Amino acid sequence: RKEVEQDPGPFNVPEGATVAFNCTYSNSASQSFFWYRQDCRKEPKLLMSVYSSGNEDGRFTAQLNRASQYISLLIRDSKLSDSATYLCVVTGGSYIPTFGRGTSLIVHP
Amino acid sequence: GAVVSQHPSRVICKSGTSVKIECRSLDFQATTMFWYRQFPKQSLMLMATSNEGSKATYEQGVEKDKFLINHASLTLSTLTVTSAHPEDSSFYICSARKGTGKTDTQYFGPGTRLTVL
């Protein structure tokens, strides 16, 4: 089993739709969780950290479920500019980050 | 956020030559920097962890003699691809860790696209 798994997609949604991605991790000792966004041929950019209590930033909501070992990202009112690959990142006690393969999102008019 | 620069952004070289890539944290000190490689449509693969003042820790399968890493200061790490071959052509990305706690984050440089002819 891979350490961090994501559905590669693509998720193809219309503008204004709500879309959610999940990411599962295998190491129960994982400590920090992040969502990054990567545009084609660009470097990943931090979208948001994921806290135990969940957190929201505008149209984006991230949640952590330690019992089931997954994190989620919810995007409301999708924009064309949200089209990108969303990477799940998990770190352990030694802070060695492990990346998921990414989930591709395509928002169409 | 934080700013991490990477230079050069693109390099084309002949097989057998060595290529040096620099990664700098511009507005913070980074005790740890990471080097990744990403092939088309693949996820980022961690190559090595670079700690200031000590030897880099390489991931399994990454040749330390081929990918030389030097973390000379708290703001600079370099990756040298020695005797590059066409199969080394890839997108190389560095990141710098900001902070020292478990909730700190890493910020990425813009990447270096290496093409070996």
PDB file of all heavy atoms in Angstrom, chain A residues 6 11 18-23 34-37 47-50 55-57 59-64 70-76 85-88 103 105:
ATOM      1  N   GLN A   6      -4.119   9.080  -3.563  1.00  0.00           N
ATOM      2  CA  GLN A   6      -5.145   9.997  -4.056  1.00  0.00           C
ATOM      3  C   GLN A   6      -5.724   9.436  -5.341  1.00  0.00           C
ATOM      4  O   GLN A   6      -5.014   8.784  -6.117  1.00  0.00           O
ATOM      5  CB  GLN A   6      -4.541  11.373  -4.387  1.00  0.00           C
ATOM      6  CG  GLN A   6      -4.035  12.168  -3.226  1.00  0.00           C
ATOM      7  CD  GLN A   6      -3.507  13.514  -3.699  1.00  0.00           C
ATOM      8  OE1 GLN A   6      -2.321  13.759  -3.739  1.00  0.00           O
ATOM      9  NE2 GLN A   6      -4.438  14.409  -4.040  1.00  0.00           N
ATOM     10  N   PHE A  11     -11.214  14.967 -12.281  1.00  0.00           N
ATOM     11  CA  PHE A  11     -12.556  15.374 -11.904  1.00  0.00           C
ATOM     12  C   PHE A  11     -12.923  16.512 -12.853  1.00  0.00           C
ATOM     13  O   PHE A  11     -12.262  17.533 -12.888  1.00  0.00           O
ATOM     14  CB  PHE A  11     -12.588  15.870 -10.452  1.00  0.00           C
ATOM     15  CG  PHE A  11     -12.519  14.769  -9.430  1.00  0.00           C
ATOM     16  CD1 PHE A  11     -11.387  13.975  -9.306  1.00  0.00           C
ATOM     17  CD2 PHE A  11     -13.580  14.527  -8.569  1.00  0.00           C
ATOM     18  CE1 PHE A  11     -11.319  12.963  -8.371  1.00  0.00           C
ATOM     19  CE2 PHE A  11     -13.516  13.515  -7.615  1.00  0.00           C
ATOM     20  CZ  PHE A  11     -12.392  12.733  -7.520  1.00  0.00           C
ATOM     21  N   THR A  18     -19.653  22.088  -6.646  1.00  0.00           N
ATOM     22  CA  THR A  18     -18.884  21.757  -5.450  1.00  0.00           C
ATOM     23  C   THR A  18     -18.199  20.419  -5.700  1.00  0.00           C
ATOM     24  O   THR A  18     -18.826  19.479  -6.183  1.00  0.00           O
ATOM     25  CB  THR A  18     -19.798  21.661  -4.220  1.00  0.00           C
ATOM     26  OG1 THR A  18     -20.367  22.952  -3.960  1.00  0.00           O
ATOM     27  CG2 THR A  18     -19.018  21.198  -2.995  1.00  0.00           C
ATOM     28  N   VAL A  19     -16.928  20.365  -5.375  1.00  0.00           N
ATOM     29  CA  VAL A  19     -16.175  19.130  -5.619  1.00  0.00           C
ATOM     30  C   VAL A  19     -15.340  18.806  -4.388  1.00  0.00           C
ATOM     31  O   VAL A  19     -14.883  19.715  -3.688  1.00  0.00           O
ATOM     32  CB  VAL A  19     -15.296  19.274  -6.877  1.00  0.00           C
ATOM     33  CG1 VAL A  19     -14.266  20.377  -6.714  1.00  0.00           C
ATOM     34  CG2 VAL A  19     -14.625  17.957  -7.236  1.00  0.00           C
ATOM     35  N   ALA A  20     -15.180  17.533  -4.126  1.00  0.00           N
ATOM     36  CA  ALA A  20     -14.411  17.112  -2.951  1.00  0.00           C
ATOM     37  C   ALA A  20     -13.402  16.041  -3.326  1.00  0.00           C
ATOM     38  O   ALA A  20     -13.689  15.161  -4.148  1.00  0.00           O
ATOM     39  CB  ALA A  20     -15.356  16.589  -1.868  1.00  0.00           C
ATOM     40  N   PHE A  21     -12.229  16.156  -2.741  1.00  0.00           N
ATOM     41  CA  PHE A  21     -11.186  15.143  -2.933  1.00  0.00           C
ATOM     42  C   PHE A  21     -10.835  14.538  -1.584  1.00  0.00           C
ATOM     43  O   PHE A  21     -10.827  15.223  -0.575  1.00  0.00           O
ATOM     44  CB  PHE A  21      -9.888  15.769  -3.484  1.00  0.00           C
ATOM     45  CG  PHE A  21     -10.068  16.685  -4.642  1.00  0.00           C
ATOM     46  CD1 PHE A  21      -9.444  17.918  -4.665  1.00  0.00           C
ATOM     47  CD2 PHE A  21     -10.859  16.319  -5.719  1.00  0.00           C
ATOM     48  CE1 PHE A  21      -9.584  18.772  -5.740  1.00  0.00           C
ATOM     49  CE2 PHE A  21     -11.011  17.165  -6.792  1.00  0.00           C
ATOM     50  CZ  PHE A  21     -10.368  18.400  -6.796  1.00  0.00           C
ATOM     51  N   ASN A  22     -10.484  13.278  -1.635  1.00  0.00           N
ATOM     52  CA  ASN A  22      -9.972  12.622  -0.434  1.00  0.00           C
ATOM     53  C   ASN A  22      -8.540  12.177  -0.654  1.00  0.00           C
ATOM     54  O   ASN A  22      -8.094  11.973  -1.791  1.00  0.00           O
ATOM     55  CB  ASN A  22     -10.812  11.395  -0.089  1.00  0.00           C
ATOM     56  CG  ASN A  22     -12.050  11.755   0.682  1.00  0.00           C
ATOM     57  OD1 ASN A  22     -12.191  12.883   1.152  1.00  0.00           O
ATOM     58  ND2 ASN A  22     -12.963  10.822   0.789  1.00  0.00           N
ATOM     59  N   CYS A  23      -7.846  11.993   0.455  1.00  0.00           N
ATOM     60  CA  CYS A  23      -6.470  11.513   0.406  1.00  0.00           C
ATOM     61  C   CYS A  23      -6.285  10.614   1.611  1.00  0.00           C
ATOM     62  O   CYS A  23      -6.567  11.026   2.746  1.00  0.00           O
ATOM     63  CB  CYS A  23      -5.515  12.711   0.459  1.00  0.00           C
ATOM     64  SG  CYS A  23      -3.803  12.276   0.812  1.00  0.00           S
ATOM     65  N   PHE A  34      -1.141  18.694   4.579  1.00  0.00           N
ATOM     66  CA  PHE A  34      -1.255  19.903   3.759  1.00  0.00           C
ATOM     67  C   PHE A  34      -1.900  19.567   2.428  1.00  0.00           C
ATOM     68  O   PHE A  34      -1.801  18.448   1.933  1.00  0.00           O
ATOM     69  CB  PHE A  34       0.134  20.498   3.477  1.00  0.00           C
ATOM     70  CG  PHE A  34       0.972  20.705   4.709  1.00  0.00           C
ATOM     71  CD1 PHE A  34       1.800  19.699   5.176  1.00  0.00           C
ATOM     72  CD2 PHE A  34       0.927  21.910   5.390  1.00  0.00           C
ATOM     73  CE1 PHE A  34       2.583  19.885   6.311  1.00  0.00           C
ATOM     74  CE2 PHE A  34       1.704  22.102   6.520  1.00  0.00           C
ATOM     75  CZ  PHE A  34       2.533  21.096   6.979  1.00  0.00           C
ATOM     76  N   TRP A  35      -2.514  20.566   1.853  1.00  0.00           N
ATOM     77  CA  TRP A  35      -2.937  20.506   0.458  1.00  0.00           C
ATOM     78  C   TRP A  35      -2.122  21.536  -0.321  1.00  0.00           C
ATOM     79  O   TRP A  35      -2.014  22.692   0.067  1.00  0.00           O
ATOM     80  CB  TRP A  35      -4.425  20.820   0.313  1.00  0.00           C
ATOM     81  CG  TRP A  35      -5.328  19.686   0.691  1.00  0.00           C
ATOM     82  CD1 TRP A  35      -6.062  19.557   1.831  1.00  0.00           C
ATOM     83  CD2 TRP A  35      -5.602  18.510  -0.085  1.00  0.00           C
ATOM     84  NE1 TRP A  35      -6.762  18.376   1.819  1.00  0.00           N
ATOM     85  CE2 TRP A  35      -6.493  17.714   0.659  1.00  0.00           C
ATOM     86  CE3 TRP A  35      -5.179  18.045  -1.344  1.00  0.00           C
ATOM     87  CZ2 TRP A  35      -6.979  16.484   0.193  1.00  0.00           C
ATOM     88  CZ3 TRP A  35      -5.648  16.829  -1.799  1.00  0.00           C
ATOM     89  CH2 TRP A  35      -6.540  16.061  -1.043  1.00  0.00           C
ATOM     90  N   TYR A  36      -1.556  21.072  -1.427  1.00  0.00           N
ATOM     91  CA  TYR A  36      -0.844  21.957  -2.344  1.00  0.00           C
ATOM     92  C   TYR A  36      -1.559  21.938  -3.681  1.00  0.00           C
ATOM     93  O   TYR A  36      -2.228  20.963  -4.036  1.00  0.00           O
ATOM     94  CB  TYR A  36       0.603  21.489  -2.567  1.00  0.00           C
ATOM     95  CG  TYR A  36       1.568  21.869  -1.472  1.00  0.00           C
ATOM     96  CD1 TYR A  36       1.592  21.178  -0.272  1.00  0.00           C
ATOM     97  CD2 TYR A  36       2.462  22.917  -1.647  1.00  0.00           C
ATOM     98  CE1 TYR A  36       2.486  21.518   0.726  1.00  0.00           C
ATOM     99  CE2 TYR A  36       3.369  23.268  -0.654  1.00  0.00           C
ATOM    100  CZ  TYR A  36       3.368  22.558   0.529  1.00  0.00           C
ATOM    101  OH  TYR A  36       4.253  22.894   1.523  1.00  0.00           O
ATOM    102  N   ARG A  37      -1.373  23.001  -4.424  1.00  0.00           N
ATOM    103  CA  ARG A  37      -1.923  23.075  -5.758  1.00  0.00           C
ATOM    104  C   ARG A  37      -0.748  23.175  -6.722  1.00  0.00           C
ATOM    105  O   ARG A  37       0.200  23.932  -6.489  1.00  0.00           O
ATOM    106  CB  ARG A  37      -2.806  24.317  -5.856  1.00  0.00           C
ATOM    107  CG  ARG A  37      -3.231  24.651  -7.261  1.00  0.00           C
ATOM    108  CD  ARG A  37      -3.754  26.061  -7.375  1.00  0.00           C
ATOM    109  NE  ARG A  37      -3.898  26.393  -8.786  1.00  0.00           N
ATOM    110  CZ  ARG A  37      -5.008  26.864  -9.326  1.00  0.00           C
ATOM    111  NH1 ARG A  37      -6.076  27.083  -8.568  1.00  0.00           N
ATOM    112  NH2 ARG A  37      -5.064  27.125 -10.607  1.00  0.00           N
ATOM    113  N   LEU A  47      -1.668  25.441  -0.584  1.00  0.00           N
ATOM    114  CA  LEU A  47      -3.057  25.884  -0.606  1.00  0.00           C
ATOM    115  C   LEU A  47      -3.538  26.107   0.828  1.00  0.00           C
ATOM    116  O   LEU A  47      -4.041  27.159   1.174  1.00  0.00           O
ATOM    117  CB  LEU A  47      -3.915  24.841  -1.314  1.00  0.00           C
ATOM    118  CG  LEU A  47      -5.395  25.148  -1.486  1.00  0.00           C
ATOM    119  CD1 LEU A  47      -5.595  26.362  -2.365  1.00  0.00           C
ATOM    120  CD2 LEU A  47      -6.116  23.942  -2.077  1.00  0.00           C
ATOM    121  N   MET A  48      -3.388  25.082   1.646  1.00  0.00           N
ATOM    122  CA  MET A  48      -3.742  25.212   3.046  1.00  0.00           C
ATOM    123  C   MET A  48      -3.213  24.049   3.862  1.00  0.00           C
ATOM    124  O   MET A  48      -3.009  22.957   3.346  1.00  0.00           O
ATOM    125  CB  MET A  48      -5.260  25.337   3.223  1.00  0.00           C
ATOM    126  CG  MET A  48      -6.071  24.206   2.659  1.00  0.00           C
ATOM    127  SD  MET A  48      -7.826  24.630   2.396  1.00  0.00           S
ATOM    128  CE  MET A  48      -8.305  25.316   3.973  1.00  0.00           C
ATOM    129  N   SER A  49      -2.963  24.351   5.125  1.00  0.00           N
ATOM    130  CA  SER A  49      -2.634  23.299   6.073  1.00  0.00           C
ATOM    131  C   SER A  49      -3.950  22.674   6.540  1.00  0.00           C
ATOM    132  O   SER A  49      -5.007  23.286   6.433  1.00  0.00           O
ATOM    133  CB  SER A  49      -1.893  23.882   7.269  1.00  0.00           C
ATOM    134  OG  SER A  49      -0.721  24.560   6.847  1.00  0.00           O
ATOM    135  N   VAL A  50      -3.859  21.477   7.039  1.00  0.00           N
ATOM    136  CA  VAL A  50      -5.067  20.791   7.507  1.00  0.00           C
ATOM    137  C   VAL A  50      -4.933  20.541   8.992  1.00  0.00           C
ATOM    138  O   VAL A  50      -4.003  19.847   9.429  1.00  0.00           O
ATOM    139  CB  VAL A  50      -5.270  19.450   6.773  1.00  0.00           C
ATOM    140  CG1 VAL A  50      -6.616  18.856   7.158  1.00  0.00           C
ATOM    141  CG2 VAL A  50      -5.166  19.629   5.270  1.00  0.00           C
ATOM    142  N   ASN A  55     -10.365  23.265   8.817  1.00  0.00           N
ATOM    143  CA  ASN A  55     -10.195  24.684   8.587  1.00  0.00           C
ATOM    144  C   ASN A  55     -10.753  25.090   7.237  1.00  0.00           C
ATOM    145  O   ASN A  55     -10.873  24.278   6.324  1.00  0.00           O
ATOM    146  CB  ASN A  55      -8.727  25.111   8.726  1.00  0.00           C
ATOM    147  CG  ASN A  55      -7.769  24.215   7.977  1.00  0.00           C
ATOM    148  OD1 ASN A  55      -7.786  23.005   8.144  1.00  0.00           O
ATOM    149  ND2 ASN A  55      -6.922  24.792   7.162  1.00  0.00           N
ATOM    150  N   GLU A  56     -11.130  26.345   7.184  1.00  0.00           N
ATOM    151  CA  GLU A  56     -11.792  26.873   5.995  1.00  0.00           C
ATOM    152  C   GLU A  56     -11.089  28.141   5.560  1.00  0.00           C
ATOM    153  O   GLU A  56     -10.664  28.954   6.377  1.00  0.00           O
ATOM    154  CB  GLU A  56     -13.256  27.178   6.351  1.00  0.00           C
ATOM    155  CG  GLU A  56     -14.108  27.605   5.168  1.00  0.00           C
ATOM    156  CD  GLU A  56     -15.577  27.742   5.563  1.00  0.00           C
ATOM    157  OE1 GLU A  56     -16.097  26.842   6.242  1.00  0.00           O
ATOM    158  OE2 GLU A  56     -16.183  28.766   5.192  1.00  0.00           O
ATOM    159  N   ASP A  57     -10.942  28.286   4.242  1.00  0.00           N
ATOM    160  CA  ASP A  57     -10.346  29.495   3.690  1.00  0.00           C
ATOM    161  C   ASP A  57     -11.132  29.858   2.440  1.00  0.00           C
ATOM    162  O   ASP A  57     -10.902  29.289   1.370  1.00  0.00           O
ATOM    163  CB  ASP A  57      -8.873  29.235   3.347  1.00  0.00           C
ATOM    164  CG  ASP A  57      -8.174  30.478   2.826  1.00  0.00           C
ATOM    165  OD1 ASP A  57      -8.810  31.555   2.792  1.00  0.00           O
ATOM    166  OD2 ASP A  57      -6.993  30.381   2.439  1.00  0.00           O
ATOM    167  N   ARG A  59     -13.534  29.613  -0.264  1.00  0.00           N
ATOM    168  CA  ARG A  59     -14.316  28.527  -0.872  1.00  0.00           C
ATOM    169  C   ARG A  59     -13.725  27.141  -0.571  1.00  0.00           C
ATOM    170  O   ARG A  59     -14.282  26.124  -0.989  1.00  0.00           O
ATOM    171  CB  ARG A  59     -14.355  28.725  -2.389  1.00  0.00           C
ATOM    172  CG  ARG A  59     -15.041  30.015  -2.832  1.00  0.00           C
ATOM    173  CD  ARG A  59     -15.089  30.150  -4.351  1.00  0.00           C
ATOM    174  NE  ARG A  59     -13.768  30.343  -4.939  1.00  0.00           N
ATOM    175  CZ  ARG A  59     -13.131  29.409  -5.653  1.00  0.00           C
ATOM    176  NH1 ARG A  59     -13.688  28.228  -5.869  1.00  0.00           N
ATOM    177  NH2 ARG A  59     -11.943  29.662  -6.169  1.00  0.00           N
ATOM    178  N   PHE A  60     -12.621  27.115   0.112  1.00  0.00           N
ATOM    179  CA  PHE A  60     -11.909  25.864   0.372  1.00  0.00           C
ATOM    180  C   PHE A  60     -12.048  25.423   1.830  1.00  0.00           C
ATOM    181  O   PHE A  60     -11.849  26.225   2.738  1.00  0.00           O
ATOM    182  CB  PHE A  60     -10.420  26.026   0.037  1.00  0.00           C
ATOM    183  CG  PHE A  60     -10.162  26.366  -1.404  1.00  0.00           C
ATOM    184  CD1 PHE A  60     -10.219  27.680  -1.837  1.00  0.00           C
ATOM    185  CD2 PHE A  60      -9.880  25.377  -2.319  1.00  0.00           C
ATOM    186  CE1 PHE A  60      -9.991  28.000  -3.164  1.00  0.00           C
ATOM    187  CE2 PHE A  60      -9.642  25.684  -3.653  1.00  0.00           C
ATOM    188  CZ  PHE A  60      -9.698  26.994  -4.072  1.00  0.00           C
ATOM    189  N   THR A  61     -12.379  24.158   2.017  1.00  0.00           N
ATOM    190  CA  THR A  61     -12.485  23.599   3.357  1.00  0.00           C
ATOM    191  C   THR A  61     -11.687  22.311   3.409  1.00  0.00           C
ATOM    192  O   THR A  61     -11.843  21.441   2.546  1.00  0.00           O
ATOM    193  CB  THR A  61     -13.944  23.297   3.731  1.00  0.00           C
ATOM    194  OG1 THR A  61     -14.703  24.508   3.674  1.00  0.00           O
ATOM    195  CG2 THR A  61     -14.033  22.716   5.138  1.00  0.00           C
ATOM    196  N   ALA A  62     -10.833  22.208   4.410  1.00  0.00           N
ATOM    197  CA  ALA A  62     -10.027  21.000   4.577  1.00  0.00           C
ATOM    198  C   ALA A  62     -10.393  20.338   5.895  1.00  0.00           C
ATOM    199  O   ALA A  62     -10.643  21.016   6.888  1.00  0.00           O
ATOM    200  CB  ALA A  62      -8.544  21.344   4.554  1.00  0.00           C
ATOM    201  N   GLN A  63     -10.414  19.018   5.888  1.00  0.00           N
ATOM    202  CA  GLN A  63     -10.725  18.287   7.116  1.00  0.00           C
ATOM    203  C   GLN A  63      -9.796  17.101   7.262  1.00  0.00           C
ATOM    204  O   GLN A  63      -9.293  16.547   6.275  1.00  0.00           O
ATOM    205  CB  GLN A  63     -12.187  17.826   7.104  1.00  0.00           C
ATOM    206  CG  GLN A  63     -13.171  18.994   7.221  1.00  0.00           C
ATOM    207  CD  GLN A  63     -14.588  18.521   7.466  1.00  0.00           C
ATOM    208  OE1 GLN A  63     -15.029  17.584   6.841  1.00  0.00           O
ATOM    209  NE2 GLN A  63     -15.281  19.181   8.380  1.00  0.00           N
ATOM    210  N   LEU A  64      -9.601  16.734   8.512  1.00  0.00           N
ATOM    211  CA  LEU A  64      -8.734  15.603   8.848  1.00  0.00           C
ATOM    212  C   LEU A  64      -9.534  14.588   9.636  1.00  0.00           C
ATOM    213  O   LEU A  64     -10.209  14.950  10.596  1.00  0.00           O
ATOM    214  CB  LEU A  64      -7.537  16.095   9.683  1.00  0.00           C
ATOM    215  CG  LEU A  64      -6.698  15.040  10.396  1.00  0.00           C
ATOM    216  CD1 LEU A  64      -6.010  14.117   9.403  1.00  0.00           C
ATOM    217  CD2 LEU A  64      -5.681  15.711  11.316  1.00  0.00           C
ATOM    218  N   TYR A  70      -7.609   9.806   6.786  1.00  0.00           N
ATOM    219  CA  TYR A  70      -7.721  10.513   5.509  1.00  0.00           C
ATOM    220  C   TYR A  70      -7.918  11.999   5.760  1.00  0.00           C
ATOM    221  O   TYR A  70      -8.342  12.430   6.823  1.00  0.00           O
ATOM    222  CB  TYR A  70      -8.844   9.941   4.635  1.00  0.00           C
ATOM    223  CG  TYR A  70     -10.245  10.293   5.054  1.00  0.00           C
ATOM    224  CD1 TYR A  70     -10.843  11.490   4.627  1.00  0.00           C
ATOM    225  CD2 TYR A  70     -10.995   9.438   5.856  1.00  0.00           C
ATOM    226  CE1 TYR A  70     -12.140  11.814   4.995  1.00  0.00           C
ATOM    227  CE2 TYR A  70     -12.291   9.751   6.221  1.00  0.00           C
ATOM    228  CZ  TYR A  70     -12.860  10.941   5.797  1.00  0.00           C
ATOM    229  OH  TYR A  70     -14.147  11.261   6.162  1.00  0.00           O
ATOM    230  N   ILE A  71      -7.563  12.761   4.745  1.00  0.00           N
ATOM    231  CA  ILE A  71      -7.861  14.184   4.752  1.00  0.00           C
ATOM    232  C   ILE A  71      -8.689  14.487   3.507  1.00  0.00           C
ATOM    233  O   ILE A  71      -8.654  13.736   2.526  1.00  0.00           O
ATOM    234  CB  ILE A  71      -6.599  15.075   4.794  1.00  0.00           C
ATOM    235  CG1 ILE A  71      -5.765  14.928   3.518  1.00  0.00           C
ATOM    236  CG2 ILE A  71      -5.754  14.752   6.010  1.00  0.00           C
ATOM    237  CD1 ILE A  71      -4.616  15.917   3.442  1.00  0.00           C
ATOM    238  N   SER A  72      -9.436  15.555   3.592  1.00  0.00           N
ATOM    239  CA  SER A  72     -10.301  15.910   2.477  1.00  0.00           C
ATOM    240  C   SER A  72     -10.150  17.383   2.140  1.00  0.00           C
ATOM    241  O   SER A  72      -9.724  18.194   2.967  1.00  0.00           O
ATOM    242  CB  SER A  72     -11.761  15.584   2.804  1.00  0.00           C
ATOM    243  OG  SER A  72     -12.190  16.378   3.892  1.00  0.00           O
ATOM    244  N   LEU A  73     -10.488  17.692   0.910  1.00  0.00           N
ATOM    245  CA  LEU A  73     -10.512  19.079   0.445  1.00  0.00           C
ATOM    246  C   LEU A  73     -11.812  19.290  -0.302  1.00  0.00           C
ATOM    247  O   LEU A  73     -12.127  18.545  -1.226  1.00  0.00           O
ATOM    248  CB  LEU A  73      -9.329  19.362  -0.490  1.00  0.00           C
ATOM    249  CG  LEU A  73      -9.283  20.770  -1.090  1.00  0.00           C
ATOM    250  CD1 LEU A  73      -9.019  21.804   0.002  1.00  0.00           C
ATOM    251  CD2 LEU A  73      -8.216  20.858  -2.173  1.00  0.00           C
ATOM    252  N   LEU A  74     -12.550  20.291   0.134  1.00  0.00           N
ATOM    253  CA  LEU A  74     -13.826  20.624  -0.499  1.00  0.00           C
ATOM    254  C   LEU A  74     -13.698  21.985  -1.153  1.00  0.00           C
ATOM    255  O   LEU A  74     -13.236  22.936  -0.518  1.00  0.00           O
ATOM    256  CB  LEU A  74     -14.945  20.648   0.556  1.00  0.00           C
ATOM    257  CG  LEU A  74     -16.340  20.999   0.068  1.00  0.00           C
ATOM    258  CD1 LEU A  74     -16.959  19.778  -0.609  1.00  0.00           C
ATOM    259  CD2 LEU A  74     -17.230  21.454   1.225  1.00  0.00           C
ATOM    260  N   ILE A  75     -14.078  22.064  -2.397  1.00  0.00           N
ATOM    261  CA  ILE A  75     -14.056  23.339  -3.116  1.00  0.00           C
ATOM    262  C   ILE A  75     -15.493  23.684  -3.499  1.00  0.00           C
ATOM    263  O   ILE A  75     -16.156  22.925  -4.212  1.00  0.00           O
ATOM    264  CB  ILE A  75     -13.178  23.266  -4.383  1.00  0.00           C
ATOM    265  CG1 ILE A  75     -11.766  22.798  -4.042  1.00  0.00           C
ATOM    266  CG2 ILE A  75     -13.131  24.643  -5.070  1.00  0.00           C
ATOM    267  CD1 ILE A  75     -10.880  22.590  -5.268  1.00  0.00           C
ATOM    268  N   ARG A  76     -15.951  24.824  -3.018  1.00  0.00           N
ATOM    269  CA  ARG A  76     -17.306  25.274  -3.357  1.00  0.00           C
ATOM    270  C   ARG A  76     -17.256  26.302  -4.471  1.00  0.00           C
ATOM    271  O   ARG A  76     -16.236  26.991  -4.661  1.00  0.00           O
ATOM    272  CB  ARG A  76     -17.973  25.894  -2.126  1.00  0.00           C
ATOM    273  CG  ARG A  76     -18.315  24.899  -1.024  1.00  0.00           C
ATOM    274  CD  ARG A  76     -18.992  25.625   0.160  1.00  0.00           C
ATOM    275  NE  ARG A  76     -18.084  26.594   0.758  1.00  0.00           N
ATOM    276  CZ  ARG A  76     -17.161  26.288   1.640  1.00  0.00           C
ATOM    277  NH1 ARG A  76     -17.011  25.040   2.037  1.00  0.00           N
ATOM    278  NH2 ARG A  76     -16.372  27.216   2.142  1.00  0.00           N
ATOM    279  N   THR A  85      -3.806  20.511 -10.472  1.00  0.00           N
ATOM    280  CA  THR A  85      -3.636  19.244  -9.754  1.00  0.00           C
ATOM    281  C   THR A  85      -3.479  19.557  -8.286  1.00  0.00           C
ATOM    282  O   THR A  85      -2.700  20.441  -7.915  1.00  0.00           O
ATOM    283  CB  THR A  85      -2.400  18.486 -10.268  1.00  0.00           C
ATOM    284  OG1 THR A  85      -2.610  18.143 -11.642  1.00  0.00           O
ATOM    285  CG2 THR A  85      -2.184  17.204  -9.481  1.00  0.00           C
ATOM    286  N   TYR A  86      -4.209  18.859  -7.453  1.00  0.00           N
ATOM    287  CA  TYR A  86      -4.186  19.094  -6.016  1.00  0.00           C
ATOM    288  C   TYR A  86      -3.426  17.954  -5.338  1.00  0.00           C
ATOM    289  O   TYR A  86      -3.792  16.790  -5.465  1.00  0.00           O
ATOM    290  CB  TYR A  86      -5.612  19.232  -5.484  1.00  0.00           C
ATOM    291  CG  TYR A  86      -6.247  20.511  -5.984  1.00  0.00           C
ATOM    292  CD1 TYR A  86      -6.847  20.567  -7.241  1.00  0.00           C
ATOM    293  CD2 TYR A  86      -6.201  21.677  -5.221  1.00  0.00           C
ATOM    294  CE1 TYR A  86      -7.381  21.749  -7.726  1.00  0.00           C
ATOM    295  CE2 TYR A  86      -6.732  22.860  -5.697  1.00  0.00           C
ATOM    296  CZ  TYR A  86      -7.319  22.892  -6.956  1.00  0.00           C
ATOM    297  OH  TYR A  86      -7.835  24.075  -7.431  1.00  0.00           O
ATOM    298  N   LEU A  87      -2.365  18.339  -4.656  1.00  0.00           N
ATOM    299  CA  LEU A  87      -1.474  17.375  -4.040  1.00  0.00           C
ATOM    300  C   LEU A  87      -1.690  17.313  -2.535  1.00  0.00           C
ATOM    301  O   LEU A  87      -1.747  18.336  -1.866  1.00  0.00           O
ATOM    302  CB  LEU A  87      -0.013  17.769  -4.308  1.00  0.00           C
ATOM    303  CG  LEU A  87       0.410  17.903  -5.771  1.00  0.00           C
ATOM    304  CD1 LEU A  87       1.793  18.529  -5.860  1.00  0.00           C
ATOM    305  CD2 LEU A  87       0.423  16.539  -6.431  1.00  0.00           C
ATOM    306  N   CYS A  88      -1.784  16.117  -2.056  1.00  0.00           N
ATOM    307  CA  CYS A  88      -1.904  15.880  -0.623  1.00  0.00           C
ATOM    308  C   CYS A  88      -0.496  15.606  -0.084  1.00  0.00           C
ATOM    309  O   CYS A  88       0.260  14.845  -0.693  1.00  0.00           O
ATOM    310  CB  CYS A  88      -2.820  14.674  -0.432  1.00  0.00           C
ATOM    311  SG  CYS A  88      -2.828  13.932   1.189  1.00  0.00           S
ATOM    312  N   THR A 103      -4.511  14.882  -7.533  1.00  0.00           N
ATOM    313  CA  THR A 103      -5.828  14.727  -8.147  1.00  0.00           C
ATOM    314  C   THR A 103      -6.025  15.864  -9.130  1.00  0.00           C
ATOM    315  O   THR A 103      -5.877  17.039  -8.771  1.00  0.00           O
ATOM    316  CB  THR A 103      -6.943  14.775  -7.087  1.00  0.00           C
ATOM    317  OG1 THR A 103      -6.791  13.678  -6.197  1.00  0.00           O
ATOM    318  CG2 THR A 103      -8.313  14.715  -7.743  1.00  0.00           C
ATOM    319  N   LEU A 105      -8.084  18.339 -11.368  1.00  0.00           N
ATOM    320  CA  LEU A 105      -9.402  18.969 -11.437  1.00  0.00           C
ATOM    321  C   LEU A 105      -9.492  19.813 -12.699  1.00  0.00           C
ATOM    322  O   LEU A 105      -8.611  20.624 -12.974  1.00  0.00           O
ATOM    323  CB  LEU A 105      -9.648  19.858 -10.218  1.00  0.00           C
ATOM    324  CG  LEU A 105     -10.910  20.733 -10.270  1.00  0.00           C
ATOM    325  CD1 LEU A 105     -12.165  19.862 -10.257  1.00  0.00           C
ATOM    326  CD2 LEU A 105     -10.944  21.714  -9.103  1.00  0.00           C
TER     327      LEU A 105
END
